[in-house]
Amino acid sequence: MNKIAQIFQTLDYGPAPEGPEQAMAWLDSHGRKFGHFIDGEWTKPGKTFASRNPANGESLAQVTDGTAEDVNAAVAAARAAFKPWSTLSGYERGKYLYAIARAIQKHSRLFAVLETLDNGKPIRESRDVDIPLVARHFYHHAGWAQHLSREFPDAVPYGVCGQIIPWNFPLLMLAWKIAPALAAGNTVVLKPAEFTSLTALLFAEICDRAGLPKGVVNIVTGEGDTGAAIVNHPDIDKIAFTGSTEVGKIIRAATAGTGKGLSLELGGKSPYIVFEDADIDSAIEGLVDAIWFNQGQVCCAGSRLLVQESIETRFITKLKKRMSTLRVGDPLDKSIDIGALVAQVQVERIRDLMKRGTKEGAIIYEPDGDLPGGGCFLKPTLVTNVSPANTLVAEEIFGPVLVAMSFRTPEEAVALANNTKYGLAATVWSENINLALDIAPKLKAGVVWINGTNNFDAAVGFGGYKESGFGREGGREGMGAYLKPGWEKTLKAAPVAKAAPAKDDNPLDATHLDQTAKMYIGGKQARPDSGYSRPVRDPAGKLVGEVGDGNRKDIRNAVEAARGALAWSTTAAHTRAQILYFLAENLDYRRAEFAARIKAQTGDDGAGEVALAVERLFAFAGWADKYDGAVHNPPLRAVAAAMVEPLGVMGVVAPAALPLLGSVALIAPALAMGNTVVLVPSGTSPLSVTDLYQVIETSDVPSGVINIVTGDSVSLAKTLAEHDGVDALWFAGSADASTMVEKASITNLKQTWTSRGLNYDLSDRRFEGDYFLGKATQVKNVWIPYGA
């Protein structure tokens, strides 16, 4: 039988090798040994380690392991370049970004081959997905550079940005971080992953060829200690990190109290939900892309298959048949589907996890066939017979391993999907668009794909909820992550509050009946669990009242009540606005009473503060139905709806000053956006907020939406920061206490805002707009395909 006849009989793919010659020649041109790229120059190589081809274990080049001195030099270069770069016009910065994009396109094949050699991903993915999207990010942000002054009129760049990227998408993650940073006017010190540094070094060469000013982009290679030196460097203004949740928590703790900007894009365990009315064949092809793209080494990989019980058997049978056709082999072969994992240590980690899952009852399926020898290869794997508690369901595997479970109802699908500490992405397959759009908002994930998966674009934000991190990359929100309000850089230290001198008096000696204020939890007044009260004194030290001394159990009860009231987030924005208007109206009716209470506690005329509190409630009532999202138009047949969503349960610890306005100014934006609140009012003058109970009760605020616990601000803030049921925490207080709050928040990586001992004057009208609205929300991008 001739060869053509054999091909038609078996329909097997023949080899289609991509030539590595040009990539090897580029490595040879550098002697296969690299220093860092600092201040527009290549440094002399220092102590090096090998960057290896994971498909065969061969060394590609030697890469320098950066030291603290190397990082110092890079930061100094970036700092020196910052002023001239940031003062260029947006048009001029945009031209450099455009030149970089053009150069990447010009050398796209070289980038693609080098990426595949260094990382192990199939050349088809590097060539057709990664590199075009890299160029797209630089083109997109070239446009942003020119329009920043119009779209972000009061914003300024952070300064020097430290950026640390992972090994799964080496060049794409670089583009996601460097492009917006440069567009905003920042300068950059970037550390690529130690396994995959080579395309970042080629990119440095492209920057040089494009004439980018020296010091604007600095590439420092190295291992973990190099990254730590970047994170801890005192002259870096913002850290952007993509990687594991464990390392993200370490970085969060390290940056606590420094005032550095922080973006974290971390791990995931994304659900892939298939309803019984889905196009099964399309859903299976999407699933192949969701979990076996880049060998499953994708933070948003659809690694948890949730398939409706009525089609489970048919779906799994078809899926196994499709798995048998996936080709594992040389990543430079254009006919293979699955390449090599990045390193042997990753292969061993996945095998260990599989052994643990099997001991817990999991059934492992792998298609027949042999793996190539000499490289870091694994077969596509399907895991069944698992419970939600199985290790393979709960832990991020970061490999070609799919875990399957079934569900019966849409409600069960949502519960299973959200049963994870992560919240990066999710996929929904259904021919019923009403069902799909009903499910999408219920999923706790930063990105939801409908009838598709792994869609990315520079115009559409990407990032997670919960322990998948915070901040966005791409889109308007990703651009905003590299900017900050200009006035923040001018803030001075807040005046230190002086404790009133205690006088020798006793509330039992008063001529009136004692009326110690209680807590307000779940819509009811509640006595403190401690059984103790705290005195409230005027500036002269005279006792003016007492409040309950809250403790950990009171916070627990308040958080439970707030979580029980999360339906507030689905209440119509118009209704939330109406209730805030009611609060303002009812507070205004009692203006004289609240003014007198402020004067009694602080000695200041409280009329102006009450008026501002009413005005602030009106302002955020007005925002409730206006601060919304957008519809993006990525370059494919789909739209991406950017939905602005609340964070969930927010802890709010108000400042000591402005006893009424300080609390109202913080809870009003949170409530307007659909969050529920646990409020700790002013530690020195809390009676203005305990007087609000009746206002709340007569303003149609649902039970549990506002909960108030009085007591020591710092100790209660620590409890809120450590509580996994709290999704975000705002704290106004000293620098030391702010640092404590930020460190303690790493348990579930809750989003925080702290005043860091600076004078945030909440009476300023700059705080009645999007400053706090943005911090009270997160953006979910829902991708919706259209057309045949």
Side-chain angles (χ1 to χ4, degrees):
M1 185 180 291
N2 63 47
K3 188 174 182 180
I4 294 177
Q6 288 176 328
I7 291 172
F8 275 102
Q9 185 176 39
T10 64
L11 293 179
D12 283 341
Y13 283 81
E18 173 74 45
E21 293 80 13
Q22 289 193 12
M24 294 301 188
W26 179 78
L27 292 171
D28 288 337
S29 72
H30 284 267
R32 301 218 177 195
K33 197 168 187 178
F34 291 88
H36 310 298
F37 184 76
I38 296 175
D39 202 21
E41 305 288 343
W42 292 100
T43 67
K44 183 179 178 180
K47 180 184 176 182
T48 62
F49 55 87
S51 186
R52 298 186 180 278
N53 182 341
N56 55 28
E58 295 178 359
S59 175
L60 295 167
Q62 291 291 317
V63 179
T64 296
D65 190 7
T67 64
E69 290 73 22
D70 295 326
V71 171
N72 287 340
V75 173
R79 178 60 64 194
F82 171 63
K83 186 174 181 179
W85 176 252
S86 62
T87 53
L88 280 179
S89 71
Y91 167 64
E92 292 296 330
R93 290 200 303 274
K95 285 199 298 183
Y96 283 110
L97 291 170
Y98 177 81
I100 292 172
R102 293 286 289 135
I104 289 169
Q105 286 184 316
K106 180 179 179 180
H107 299 284
S108 61
R109 201 70 166 210
L110 174 59
F111 272 112
V113 174
L114 187 61
E115 191 86 319
T116 288
L117 285 170
D118 203 24
N119 170 271
K121 65 176 61 183
I123 184 64
R124 287 188 297 117
E125 295 177 7
S126 298
R127 180 195 66 197
D128 299 340
V129 180
D130 289 20
I131 307 307
L133 194 51
V134 169
R136 163 72 174 147
H137 271 265
F138 281 98
Y139 277 127
H140 178 78
H141 287 93
W144 265 124
Q146 191 165 356
H147 297 301
L148 284 181
S149 60
R150 298 181 183 88
E151 294 299 311
F152 297 91
D154 300 319
V156 296
Y158 274 90
V160 176
C161 295
Q163 302 179 325
I164 302 170
I165 59 175
W167 43 257
N168 56 340
F169 291 93
L171 190 64
L172 184 56
M173 294 295 100
L174 175 150
W176 281 19
K177 287 178 169 51
I178 286 184
L182 298 192
N186 300 283
T187 55
V188 166
V189 176
L190 180 136
K191 188 195 91 68
E194 55 267 34
F195 290 137
T196 54
S197 301
L198 298 182
T199 48
L201 296 170
L202 175 57
F203 175 81
E205 192 169 286
I206 292 294
C207 291
D208 186 36
R209 292 182 189 178
L212 191 71
K214 293 184 176 184
V216 171
V217 169
N218 305 273
I219 307 293
V220 180
T221 56
E223 299 185 342
D225 288 346
T226 312
I230 291 174
V231 169
N232 295 312
H233 200 287
D235 202 29
I236 285 180
D237 304 297
K238 176 183 169 66
I239 296 293
F241 171 77
T242 296
S244 71
T245 294
E246 291 73 21
V247 175
K249 289 183 176 182
I250 293 170
I251 292 173
R252 182 73 194 93
T255 59
T258 64
K260 293 179 182 179
L262 182 62
S263 299
L264 297 175
E265 195 264 280
L266 307 176
K269 193 71 177 178
S270 300
Y272 190 98
I273 307 170
V274 183
F275 287 96
E276 60 187 0
D277 63 348
D279 179 337
I280 292 180
D281 291 332
S282 295
I284 286 176
E285 288 307 306
L287 186 55
V288 168
D289 186 36
I291 183 57
W292 292 303
F293 175 67
N294 197 21
Q295 298 72 252
Q297 299 170 132
V298 184
C299 52
C300 57
S303 54
R304 286 188 297 144
L305 169 63
L306 305 176
V307 59
Q308 198 151 16
E309 190 178 83
S310 56
I311 61 168
E312 180 186 13
T313 301
R314 183 156 57 107
F315 190 94
I316 296 297
T317 300
K318 279 179 170 272
L319 176 59
K320 289 180 177 179
K321 183 177 180 181
R322 180 66 178 92
M323 290 172 66
S324 70
T325 68
L326 294 174
R327 300 173 301 280
V328 181
D330 180 5
L332 282 178
D333 187 338
K334 293 186 281 289
S335 70
I336 67 101
D337 300 296
I338 299 176
L341 278 78
V342 74
Q344 190 60 37
V345 66
Q346 182 69 3
V347 173
E348 295 305 321
R349 177 184 175 276
I350 293 168
R351 286 175 175 162
D352 287 344
L353 284 170
M354 299 277 283
K355 289 177 184 177
R356 287 171 56 188
T358 302
K359 288 181 180 179
E360 295 168 14
I363 296 174
I364 307 296
Y365 169 80
E366 294 178 346
D368 295 333
D370 297 325
L371 290 174
C376 304
F377 295 97
L378 287 175
K379 290 182 179 181
T381 304
L382 173 65
V383 180
T384 55
N385 194 46
V386 290
S387 72
N390 189 285
T391 296
L392 298 178
V393 178
E395 297 297 323
E396 184 180 33
I397 300 171
F398 223 65
V401 181
L402 174 68
V403 183
M405 295 184 290
S406 65
F407 66 89
R408 293 183 180 181
T409 65
E411 293 75 18
E412 186 181 358
V414 171
L416 285 170
N418 290 337
N419 183 35
T420 173
K421 62 184 178 181
Y422 299 110
L424 191 54
T427 302
V428 178
W429 281 85
S430 172
E431 289 298 286
N432 183 343
I433 192 63
N434 291 324
L435 174 62
L437 292 178
D438 177 59
I439 296 297
K442 298 175 181 177
L443 299 174
K444 300 301 182 184
V447 180
V448 178
W449 295 296
I450 293 175
N451 292 341
T453 197
N454 278 344
N455 294 318
F456 304 102
D457 186 61
V460 183
F462 180 86
Y465 288 11
K466 301 192 288 187
E467 292 191 34
S468 289
F470 47 78
R472 294 292 182 265
E473 294 182 297
R476 181 186 179 87
E477 54 271 31
M479 189 66 253
Y482 283 92
L483 297 160
K484 65 186 298 183
W487 53 262
E488 277 197 339
K489 292 192 172 184
T490 66
L491 290 174
K492 305 298 183 184
V496 178
K498 296 181 179 179
K503 291 192 173 182
D504 187 16
D505 53 7
N506 190 317
L508 298 180
D509 296 333
T511 57
H512 56 79
L513 294 176
D514 176 54
Q515 294 182 345
T516 301
K518 302 182 181 70
M519 313 288 184
Y520 188 73
I521 297 174
K524 299 177 181 178
Q525 296 189 39
R527 290 184 174 84
D529 173 73
S530 68
Y532 291 99
S533 59
R534 294 170 59 85
V536 180
R537 300 180 183 276
D538 67 12
K542 179 183 177 182
L543 187 71
V544 294
E546 291 187 307
V547 295
D549 194 11
N551 64 11
R552 182 175 295 272
K553 186 174 180 181
D554 296 313
I555 292 292
R556 185 198 69 185
N557 294 339
V559 172
E560 287 180 359
R563 296 212 73 80
L566 283 175
W568 175 249
S569 66
T570 60
T571 301
H574 168 76
T575 301
R576 294 200 302 270
Q578 192 68 57
I579 289 172
L580 286 173
Y581 280 128
F582 289 161
L583 279 169
E585 180 182 343
N586 290 330
L587 177 59
D588 194 48
Y589 285 153
R590 300 170 63 178
R591 182 187 297 249
E593 173 189 341
F594 276 86
R597 178 67 89 175
I598 291 171
K599 185 174 180 61
Q601 295 172 103
T602 67
D604 299 327
D605 180 11
E609 185 178 339
V610 177
L612 280 173
V614 172
E615 183 179 338
R616 199 60 54 89
L617 286 167
F618 262 81
F620 287 110
W623 276 118
D625 58 359
K626 299 174 185 64
Y627 190 80
D628 49 22
V631 176
H632 300 304
N633 184 27
L636 67 159
R637 292 184 64 79
V639 295
M643 302 169 58
V644 175
E645 296 190 336
L647 299 175
V649 174
M650 292 184 59
V652 175
V653 182
L658 300 174
L660 178 63
L661 179 63
S663 290
V664 168
L666 295 178
I667 69 169
L671 298 174
M673 294 295 98
N675 300 282
T676 57
V677 170
V678 177
L679 170 65
V680 178
S682 166
T684 56
S685 307
L687 296 175
S688 293
V689 171
T690 60
D691 288 347
L692 272 176
Y693 298 168
Q694 290 183 338
V695 174
I696 294 169
E697 290 169 345
T698 57
S699 300
D700 295 343
V701 179
S703 298
V705 169
I706 302 175
N707 305 276
I708 301 170
V709 178
T710 53
D712 179 71
S713 296
V714 174
S715 63
L716 294 178
K718 186 174 189 294
T719 301
L720 284 166
E722 294 171 341
H723 200 301
D724 284 349
V726 177
D727 301 299
L729 177 57
W730 293 353
F731 173 81
S734 71
D736 288 343
S738 295
T739 300
M740 176 275 295
V741 163
E742 292 174 13
K743 283 186 177 179
S745 72
I746 67 170
T747 55
N748 66 344
L749 278 176
K750 58 176 61 68
Q751 299 190 41
T752 61
W753 171 85
T754 62
S755 67
R756 296 181 292 113
L758 299 175
N759 187 20
Y760 283 82
D761 181 5
L762 295 179
S763 65
D764 194 310
R765 285 186 170 81
R766 65 164 58 112
F767 295 115
E768 66 180 24
D770 59 1
Y771 181 79
F772 280 122
L773 291 172
K775 298 180 187 304
T777 55
Q778 53 198 348
V779 176
K780 171 188 288 179
N781 277 283
V782 180
W783 289 73
I784 309 164
Y786 62 83

